[in-house]
Amino acid sequence: MVGAHGLTPLTFAMVGLVFALYVNGANLLGWFPDKEGLALTGKTVAVAGSLMGAITLLFDAIWFVAGSPFGTAGASATAQLVFGAIAGMYGLLWLAAGVAQLRGWDLRPVGQMCVACIVFQVFEIAVIATWNPFTNNLLGIEIALALFLPVLVGFYLVTHGRTGPTWVGWACMAAAVGSFWLAFAPTGIATWLPLS
């Protein structure tokens, strides 16, 4: 994924996303019980997870448009616009979640944002499915993107009190694994990973 204009910051973005998914997933799974003298709150989850994902994803989205690592014409421009849209969508979502967690605000509007993200995500998956040649890396990207759909549905349901947090926490963990794969395989860092 290297173009004439420089390296893509995808790995950097995915590291932040892994932190966001892992820390929020662990929180939903109840791995941070209150202890005497140490109450891990939404503020800690915001800083150690959500805002890290927001910062790295928004940097990635801006770089895909401003830095144009794949080039500025044809299919290369289309690909980076799609990847910029995905990173921007999740960057803004995690920014909203992180600020809301940090401030102790109602998370229902963030859950509502997930409904719009589901529509975007399905469209983005459909667009990538039309690319030719459809490589193993694209298949892996599609699988990773599909892993985010249960997270989006779960965040909507849990913020609106329509489901318990446990399965949403596990969905976050699965998406964190997909994000970890995205950090290394499509970028060419680790060609030994499955689907690279």
Side-chain angles (χ1 to χ4, degrees):
M1 288 192 125
V2 178
H5 298 276
L7 298 173
T8 172
L10 181 62
T11 297
F12 175 61
M14 292 303 102
V15 168
L17 182 56
V18 168
F19 290 158
L21 289 163
Y22 178 76
V23 171
N24 276 278
N27 188 48
L28 289 165
L29 289 167
W31 293 0
F32 305 137
D34 289 345
K35 296 180 182 176
E36 188 175 341
L38 178 63
L40 297 174
T41 66
K43 292 181 180 182
T44 309
V45 172
V47 173
S50 303
L51 293 176
M52 288 186 184
I55 291 165
T56 60
L57 286 161
L58 290 172
F59 177 83
D60 184 54
I62 291 167
W63 186 255
F64 268 124
V65 177
S68 304
F70 299 165
T72 57
S76 294
T78 301
Q80 65 196 8
L81 287 172
V82 169
F83 290 132
I86 293 169
M89 174 184 77
Y90 283 111
L92 293 171
L93 179 67
W94 284 113
L95 179 63
V99 171
Q101 290 167 328
L102 198 58
R103 305 286 300 169
W105 293 342
D106 187 345
L107 286 169
R108 284 178 298 172
V110 176
Q112 205 64 46
M113 285 177 68
C114 291
V115 175
C117 288
I118 291 166
V119 174
F120 274 107
Q121 186 80 344
V122 169
F123 183 73
E124 290 154 351
I125 289 170
V127 167
I128 293 171
T130 66
W131 292 353
N132 284 312
F134 193 79
T135 64
N136 284 341
N137 267 335
L138 287 179
L139 174 61
I141 290 168
E142 293 280 68
I143 291 169
L145 292 177
L147 288 172
F148 295 125
L149 290 172
V151 175
L152 293 169
V153 170
F155 270 24
Y156 168 76
L157 293 173
V158 81
T159 59
H160 285 72
R162 296 182 181 175
T163 191
T166 303
W167 77 265
V168 183
W170 287 117
C172 287
M173 295 301 183
V177 171
S179 299
F180 180 83
W181 177 85
L182 282 173
F184 293 98
T187 59
I189 292 174
T191 55
W192 50 267
L193 283 172
L195 300 176
S196 51

